[in-house]
Amino acid sequence: MEYETREIKEGIKLHYLHTDKYKTDLIYLALMIPSKREYITHNALLPLVLKRGTKNYQTQYDLSKALDNLYGANLSATIDKKGDNLVNKFTLDLLDNRYALDDTNIIKGGLDIMFDIVFNPLLENGMFKSDFLEAEKEHLKYNIASKIDDKESYATEACVSAMFGETGYGLYKGGYLEDVDSINPENMTEFYNYLINNAEIDIFVSSKTGIEEFEKYIRENETIQRLSPRKGEFIEYDTVENARPILDTPKVITENMDIVQGKLVIGYDVRPKEKEFQEIGLVYNALLGSAATSLLFQNVREKEGLCYSTRSIFLRSKLSLFIKCGIQVENYEKVLKLVDEQLDIIRNGEFSDEDLSNAKQYIIALIKAVKEDQDAELAYYLGCELAKNYLSLDEYIDRVEKITREDVISIAGTVFVNTIYFLKSLE
Amino acid sequence: MQELYYEKLDQKVYKEKLDNGLEVVIVPMNTNNKFVIWGANVGSVDNKFIAPGEKDITLLPDGIAHYLEHKLFEQESGRNSLDTLTALGIDANAYTSNDHTAYLFGCTDNYEDALDEFMDYVQHPYFTEENIEKERGIIGQEIMMYDDEPEWAVYINAMKIMYHANEIRIDEAGTIETIKEIDKENLYKLYNSFYTPDNMYMVLAGNFNPKEAILDVKKRMIMPKHEGELKRIYNEEPKEIVQKQIERSMDISMPIVFIGYKDNDRTGNAIFKDIAVDMVGDIYFGLGSDFYREMYESGKIPSVPGVTYEFSKTYGHVMIQVKTPFPEEVVSKIQETIEKAKTEEIPDEDFIRYKRKMYGEFIRAFDNPDAVATEILSDYFKNVDIFDYLDAFEKITKKDVENILKEVFNEEYRVVSIINTNE
């Protein structure tokens, strides 16, 4: 069986994907909770504090050396947004045991360290150590302030925040500066306990080594044994019925910074008529602005030379679409008009069969490529499990192939501008 | 066809030199992906040369190698090959670096069609004044995008004060001014002089049967054997640096500090240097180091400094980079750490731990055909064979690393580049 799920206990599952291709073992540990303003900053701080020390490895230096000794085992943490949910994902990548030059059990060693970091932090009087906490609060402040360093990403976040407000998906997953000072050992530990006891926990494994061995190490791990069963809470993705209303007039926001190139981000609401619209949305998006054959790439970049980087992103969980362009400030009006024209082209069905076929081919190639990349493949299954919407890669390809011209025109007619955000240079 | 086997990687590699002089490498791997990369030994450092059969030096505008890379996709039919490939569902791209330009694609299906298009556009340059003019706007935007990136700014400033004349100090994509000089004539001149089989290299990695793969390439190869010799001209570079420090301000959240050590020696073992610099970075500045412990806990740095050795045939330098709210203090501390390290012996425990880590990381890097093929190619253009790293990891001694630390991290050839915040 290529892909298999086994329940460790209620709310805690192992998902295993066998592979023959890689010398790397890839493991994800995902903890999912609703995204809420009251603890978003605590959540952003958590991985920074967890890596400072565990009961078994009391400093980050000890942790680092232990991982290095496992043939360069690598552990990292990310926070992702899946609709209005937050996913804390810890990733462990290891050399598979069979390639070790001695009998080191890299897999067991790596899993033990990862579970130690996440479930067995170093505490003082039952709470996070205040010296660790204070030091990491400073680092968190730096991280939040560094939003402005990647201008495109900054502009995107600003547009998202304007569109959705400070709630759910609209929250900045890196946390808020004004929250940091009031975080203390009590409320940090309180949040941590909430997360550990309530989050849905999913462990994903991609390896040559069999599921039996992984299941054994997980079940035998003391910290896993101490975890209580839980129900988990998942905020469903937006539906046309419950989505917020379309705006009569779009919001227009401009900001100035000491930069050379302007960053334009336009956010749209999408309200498809079809119940199953995921694949239609993807094909529409490829046609509009994600492939090199797309309208944005061809007409705004190639024909007019107005930008180097331009693309569109379709976000099914929030029924939205984003178009981004890096442009010269004086071309703002021109680009807005040109972008509008591309949307009209699709609305009016003025695209060729070849255009549609290119878009479909592009998506299908991306899906096929997922199978050939260990991280992309495991992440695909993570996405399916978290959204509780399992679709095999082959079924996915099948669905994309069936998308018609009419499907794409139909969704195009339900795309409405919500927010126009422009980051420009100082006057 | 030559067959090589690397036991530690459990990897076979096949090599053949075609009749026209092109060297082709095939790396069969257990995947459905096929990845092809074809590179030419011309990059941003190659702005001066004597073309075969000529006497005079040709001097070309900065950024021309990169410009050519953009334009090569245009076909005489009016179609753009990047579009054609994308329409086939092929992931195609290209890049230009200091010392080479590369064209690449990856796919699981439609390989024959993809290879047709790929080898067609690389072998058929087609430049017109019109299509060149249109690209100027796009590349102008690309240049402006880099201009706003602080990591790029801190680096290029460091190169400008480290080197008087070495071409590494040239902006890779050129500047808005220099790209105005690019025209049909000089693009063809560049192509005809450098895009010859003896000056190019091709690597295929993934789901390949070597015998079939080489036939597929030979069938589509039209480049004739190249006669005559291209003479590259590089500026004389004195040993000294230009100035010790450079600073600039940008709208960023935290200052970035970059320390560079110019390495004037081109004869030493580059692979040993690469490994040694990485090891020095790991042991003295990495997560387990005293430097990190002290600087991180006192809030002076938010993360581990990046320490690397950048090199090719005509240049080499150590780069140390870190963000910090206290640039001057951290520069001082880095300096102090290096000087102290030169007086000490590397602890055995650290040396062994580092080697295990490197071995594990190197083996795992060979999981991915894109990464494997790209590394093989870019190392080739530096005159390095990537597979020599395996032996080098084993052979390198503590003494080697200690010597390299003393020779290459030389105070006399050190530069500091800082980007401050605008406040």
Side-chain angles (χ1 to χ4, degrees):
Chain A
M1 175 73 229
E2 207 206 39
Y3 179 69
E4 191 183 333
T5 296
R6 288 189 186 173
E7 192 180 81
I8 303 295
K9 53 182 93 169
E10 191 193 359
I12 303 177
K13 297 199 197 97
L14 165 63
H15 309 275
Y16 172 85
L17 187 61
H18 184 77
T19 177
D20 280 320
K21 292 183 197 154
Y22 309 107
K23 297 183 174 72
T24 303
D25 290 338
L26 184 61
I27 297 135
Y28 298 153
L29 169 60
L31 290 87
M32 180 166 66
I33 48 174
S35 181
K36 289 196 180 149
R37 182 73 181 77
E38 72 221 41
Y39 54 60
I40 191 106
T41 309
H42 291 81
N43 192 79
L45 183 57
L46 187 64
L48 300 178
V49 177
L50 289 178
K51 74 165 174 29
R52 288 300 299 258
T54 73
K55 293 203 172 86
N56 292 314
Y57 298 96
Q58 304 208 342
T59 68
Q60 58 182 327
Y61 321 108
D62 295 329
L63 272 172
S64 155
K65 290 188 182 177
L67 287 167
D68 283 355
N69 272 322
L70 291 174
Y71 288 86
N74 197 41
L75 184 59
S76 58
T78 52
I79 300 170
D80 299 317
K81 296 194 278 191
K82 292 262 186 259
D84 295 328
N85 304 285
L86 273 181
V87 180
N88 288 302
K89 182 175 120 186
F90 298 88
T91 302
L92 179 66
D93 59 274
L94 311 166
L95 185 66
D96 186 76
N97 280 350
R98 73 200 65 205
Y99 301 103
L101 295 169
D102 55 15
D103 60 5
T104 305
N105 190 336
I106 305 173
I107 295 174
K108 182 171 188 306
L111 284 173
D112 283 345
I113 293 178
M114 180 166 72
F115 293 143
D116 217 36
I117 288 175
V118 179
F119 301 119
N120 203 22
L122 183 62
L123 302 174
E124 200 169 56
N125 303 322
M127 294 190 295
F128 283 105
K129 288 184 69 186
S130 58
D131 58 348
F132 281 179
L133 201 61
E134 288 311 305
E136 294 312 319
K137 277 163 65 174
E138 289 311 304
H139 289 120
L140 183 64
K141 285 184 189 171
Y142 293 147
N143 289 350
I144 295 170
S146 74
K147 264 204 290 190
I148 64 165
D149 294 342
D150 176 346
K151 309 301 187 235
E152 186 191 296
S153 161
Y154 175 84
T156 308
E157 286 295 339
C159 185
V160 165
S161 166
M163 270 179 84
F164 299 102
E166 272 189 11
T167 178
Y169 187 79
L171 290 170
Y172 177 56
K173 68 188 187 188
Y176 294 84
L177 218 46
E178 59 264 31
D179 295 349
V180 184
D181 284 334
S182 61
I183 297 180
N184 59 41
E186 284 91 356
N187 58 37
M188 190 64 201
T189 310
E190 198 187 315
F191 166 71
Y192 173 73
N193 288 330
Y194 161 75
L195 176 72
I196 296 306
N197 292 319
N198 293 289
E200 179 185 311
I201 296 177
D202 292 281
I203 302 168
F204 293 83
V205 171
S206 164
S207 173
K208 276 184 181 175
T209 296
I211 189 174
E212 305 300 339
E213 206 167 325
F214 280 95
E215 190 182 357
K216 177 173 183 291
Y217 298 142
I218 293 168
R219 285 192 189 280
E220 285 175 359
N221 181 281
E222 283 169 15
T223 59
I224 298 286
Q225 286 174 353
R226 284 202 297 268
L227 290 173
S228 52
R230 74 282 310 283
K231 292 245 180 307
E233 191 190 341
F234 174 70
I235 312 282
E236 301 286 337
Y237 291 169
D238 286 0
T239 62
V240 174
E241 293 75 39
N242 70 23
R244 68 202 177 285
I246 311 291
L247 299 179
D248 289 322
T249 347
K251 288 182 224 162
V252 181
I253 304 168
T254 319
E255 209 180 319
N256 297 70
M257 249 193 221
D258 180 12
I259 50 174
V260 169
Q261 188 192 57
K263 305 289 189 206
L264 176 63
V265 182
I266 311 170
Y268 301 83
D269 291 318
V270 184
R271 300 287 180 263
K273 300 196 176 77
E274 294 76 4
K275 200 168 176 301
E276 299 286 335
F277 60 84
Q278 160 78 335
E279 292 79 17
I280 305 175
L282 281 181
V283 173
Y284 169 77
N285 188 56
L287 178 57
L288 175 63
S290 64
T293 41
S294 69
L295 294 173
L296 285 177
F297 193 91
Q298 288 302 316
N299 297 335
V300 184
R301 174 178 147 148
E302 291 299 299
K303 282 215 185 85
E304 299 289 330
L306 286 171
C307 60
Y308 167 72
S309 120
T310 174
R311 67 179 169 287
S312 63
I313 295 156
F314 173 63
L315 190 64
R316 136 169 170 241
S317 58
K318 298 304 293 177
L319 296 176
S320 331
L321 180 81
F322 294 89
I323 290 180
K324 310 196 221 192
C325 302
I327 59 172
Q328 264 177 278
V329 171
E330 53 267 27
N331 289 329
Y332 172 71
E333 295 293 341
K334 198 170 174 186
V335 172
L336 273 185
K337 188 158 174 288
L338 202 52
V339 165
D340 237 6
E341 280 168 23
Q342 308 319 306
L343 272 92
D344 278 339
I345 287 175
I346 307 180
R347 265 188 211 112
N348 299 331
E350 284 158 9
F351 55 93
S352 66
D353 288 336
E354 195 189 339
D355 287 334
L356 180 61
S357 163
N358 287 346
K360 284 161 73 169
Q361 279 290 68
Y362 175 77
I363 301 288
I364 290 170
L366 281 181
I367 298 171
K368 286 188 177 168
V370 164
K371 281 194 203 168
E372 306 306 319
D373 181 308
Q374 193 176 28
D375 189 41
E377 193 178 22
L378 203 59
Y380 175 76
Y381 285 100
L382 170 69
C384 287
E385 292 297 340
L386 295 181
K388 324 254 176 287
N389 184 6
Y390 181 80
L391 194 65
S392 79
L393 288 166
D394 286 328
E395 274 162 40
Y396 198 6
I397 290 173
D398 231 26
R399 287 199 190 187
V400 172
E401 261 163 0
K402 293 195 170 82
I403 302 298
T404 64
R405 200 179 173 77
E406 288 66 41
D407 289 330
V408 171
I409 294 172
S410 170
I411 205 172
T414 70
V415 175
F416 307 96
V417 184
N418 181 300
T419 303
I420 301 171
Y421 174 89
F422 190 46
L423 181 66
K424 52 196 272 219
S425 42
L426 304 168
E427 299 297 307
Chain B
M1 199 183 279
Q2 195 193 7
E3 179 181 317
L4 300 149
Y5 177 64
Y6 298 98
E7 198 186 327
K8 291 202 178 76
L9 290 167
D10 188 22
Q11 181 67 62
K12 288 204 177 104
V13 175
Y14 298 83
K15 293 187 180 180
E16 186 170 320
K17 190 169 190 171
L18 305 186
D19 291 335
N20 66 2
L22 177 71
E23 281 191 53
V24 181
V25 178
I26 302 169
V27 188
M29 290 170 72
N30 185 4
T31 168
N32 288 324
N33 250 352
K34 290 183 164 75
F35 182 84
V36 182
I37 185 166
W38 195 1
N41 195 356
V42 58
S44 58
V45 301
D46 298 294
N47 64 351
K48 273 190 306 301
F49 57 96
I50 299 177
E54 290 184 20
K55 289 204 173 68
D56 295 328
I57 296 176
T58 302
L59 172 65
L60 294 181
D62 294 347
I64 192 169
H66 171 252
Y67 212 103
L68 194 158
E69 175 232 301
H70 270 239
K71 291 326 302 169
L72 204 54
F73 288 99
E74 303 274 1
Q75 296 275 40
E76 195 163 347
S77 61
R79 279 213 67 146
N80 181 302
S81 285
L82 186 58
D83 296 346
T84 312
L85 288 167
T86 308
L88 286 169
I90 310 293
D91 186 13
N93 214 332
Y95 66 84
T96 312
S97 76
N98 296 320
D99 60 8
H100 70 277
T101 310
Y103 304 88
L104 50 111
F105 75 91
C107 65
T108 47
D109 298 321
N110 298 327
Y111 176 68
E112 308 256 323
D113 290 335
L115 193 64
D116 275 343
E117 188 69 29
F118 178 74
M119 289 187 66
D120 184 40
Y121 83 75
V122 175
Q123 296 180 97
H124 288 112
Y126 178 71
F127 313 128
T128 65
E129 289 307 337
E130 199 198 325
N131 73 27
I132 291 170
E133 192 49 46
K134 188 260 299 178
E135 203 70 31
R136 240 183 281 279
I138 297 173
I139 291 183
Q141 286 310 309
E142 193 180 350
I143 291 170
M144 287 165 74
M145 183 182 84
Y146 294 135
D147 282 345
D148 284 328
E149 283 173 22
E151 282 80 14
W152 169 252
V154 81
Y155 166 80
I156 199 70
N157 271 1
M159 293 302 109
K160 289 192 189 321
I161 64 169
M162 188 184 284
Y163 295 96
H164 289 83
N166 188 306
E167 291 79 358
I168 188 72
R169 70 197 304 280
I170 297 174
D171 289 283
E172 257 167 48
T175 65
I176 303 283
E177 288 312 308
T178 65
I179 64 173
K180 286 183 183 152
E181 309 298 312
I182 296 173
D183 61 27
K184 203 170 79 168
E185 279 68 45
N186 52 35
L187 280 173
Y188 275 116
K189 189 74 186 276
L190 188 77
Y191 183 91
N192 293 328
S193 308
F194 287 94
Y195 281 66
T196 57
D198 51 315
N199 204 38
M200 297 176 87
Y201 197 66
M202 190 190 275
V203 185
L204 294 81
N207 188 15
F208 287 109
N209 171 312
K211 289 203 173 77
E212 285 168 23
I214 200 77
L215 283 175
D216 284 334
V217 169
K218 282 178 178 168
K219 244 180 11 190
R220 295 163 174 86
M221 183 63 61
I222 60 171
M223 274 184 176
K225 188 166 153 76
H226 184 248
E227 306 299 337
E229 206 191 308
L230 167 76
K231 193 164 188 306
R232 295 165 191 269
I233 312 233
Y234 298 112
N235 292 332
E236 284 276 327
E237 173 67 28
K239 282 193 149 78
E240 304 80 43
I241 55 175
V242 179
Q243 70 192 52
K244 286 199 152 307
Q245 185 150 327
I246 185 168
E247 291 190 40
R248 196 199 136 168
S249 297
M250 289 173 79
D251 241 346
I252 53 176
S253 64
M254 190 187 298
I256 301 185
V257 146
F258 178 110
I259 296 167
Y261 289 89
K262 183 176 183 177
D263 180 14
N264 289 304
D265 168 47
R266 297 273 73 74
T267 61
N269 184 332
I271 291 181
F272 268 30
K273 282 184 190 175
D274 192 10
I275 295 173
V277 170
D278 196 73
M279 196 184 299
V280 164
D282 190 84
I283 293 173
Y284 295 106
F285 296 99
L287 275 172
S289 68
D290 292 337
F291 170 88
Y292 181 76
R293 186 188 312 233
E294 198 191 312
M295 293 281 104
Y296 185 82
E297 294 194 10
S298 57
K300 302 274 163 37
I301 59 174
S303 57
V304 171
V307 182
T308 44
Y309 183 63
E310 181 176 69
F311 70 97
S312 185
K313 296 189 278 250
T314 60
Y315 57 84
H317 41 259
V318 176
M319 312 195 295
I320 301 175
Q321 187 168 318
V322 71
K323 284 192 193 173
T324 169
F326 307 95
E328 295 296 344
E329 192 182 332
V330 168
V331 168
S332 241
K333 190 72 195 174
I334 290 174
Q335 175 70 351
E336 196 189 298
T337 304
I338 288 171
E339 293 310 311
K340 183 161 179 286
K342 287 178 186 175
T343 66
E344 298 170 346
E345 206 189 299
I346 295 174
D348 279 333
E349 175 200 281
D350 288 339
F351 187 68
I352 290 166
R353 177 177 49 79
Y354 173 81
K355 281 216 200 185
R356 270 165 80 103
K357 176 175 165 177
M358 274 305 106
Y359 168 79
E361 286 181 0
F362 191 82
I363 301 288
R364 280 160 41 207
F366 272 77
D367 272 345
N368 186 324
D370 311 30
V372 168
T374 307
E375 280 306 307
I376 291 175
L377 182 116
S378 61
D379 277 357
Y380 173 80
F381 288 126
K382 295 174 170 42
N383 268 354
V384 157
D385 181 338
I386 195 177
F387 297 101
D388 287 344
Y389 276 85
L390 282 168
D391 270 343
F393 286 134
E394 261 181 280
K395 292 205 170 81
I396 197 168
T397 64
K398 270 195 340 179
K399 206 91 206 73
D400 289 323
V401 180
E402 286 157 13
N403 288 339
I404 289 168
L405 174 59
K406 289 185 189 96
E407 282 156 22
V408 179
F409 289 71
N410 186 334
E411 166 61 24
E412 201 185 329
Y413 302 118
R414 185 181 77 117
V415 301
V416 174
S417 168
I418 297 176
I419 307 284
N420 289 308
T421 58
N422 264 332
E423 274 109 54

